[in-house]
């Protein structure tokens, strides 16, 4: 119940866009910062996606737990 309430308090109007990040550690750090600032939506135009089984090193695991990640195939698709 408290988790649902806290998720509802996140700022949904401000969005972060990540394009072409090569370093998964940097991606994870950005996602942690987005979470810390209380934002909700992250749009990503990735070079490569994290596999469903998780990436080596855990950089893709857990950082997305409280965020809504939108995957786009191109920057134009993201803007649309």
């Amino acid at each position: 119940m408290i988790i649902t309430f806290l998720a509802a308090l996140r700022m949904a109007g401000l969005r972060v866009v990540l394009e072409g990040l090569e370093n998964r550690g940097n991606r994870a750090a950005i996602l942690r910062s987005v979470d810390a600032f209380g934002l909700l939506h992250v749009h990503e135009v990735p070079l490569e996606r994290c596999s469903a089984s998780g990436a080596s090193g855990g950089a893709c695991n857990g950082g997305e737990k409280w965020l809504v990640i939108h995957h786009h195939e191109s920057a134009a698709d993201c803007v649309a």
Side-chain angles (χ1 to χ4, degrees):
M1 173 85 102
I2 289 179
I3 293 171
T4 304
F5 175 73
L6 293 175
L9 293 177
R10 291 189 172 269
M11 292 187 290
L14 183 61
R15 296 176 181 237
V16 173
V17 177
L18 307 177
E19 182 182 8
L21 286 178
E22 294 184 32
N23 185 301
R24 291 182 179 174
N26 288 345
R27 179 185 182 270
I30 291 168
L31 293 181
R32 287 191 305 271
S33 296
V34 168
D35 182 34
F37 281 111
L39 303 177
L40 180 61
H41 295 279
V42 176
H43 294 264
E44 183 173 26
V45 183
L47 289 176
E48 64 179 74
R49 296 224 176 116
C50 300
S51 66
S53 61
S56 61
C60 297
N61 299 329
E64 302 172 1
K65 186 174 184 178
W66 304 110
L67 304 174
V68 177
I69 308 292
H70 305 272
H71 295 283
H72 302 280
E73 295 300 318
S74 68
D77 178 40
C78 180
V79 171

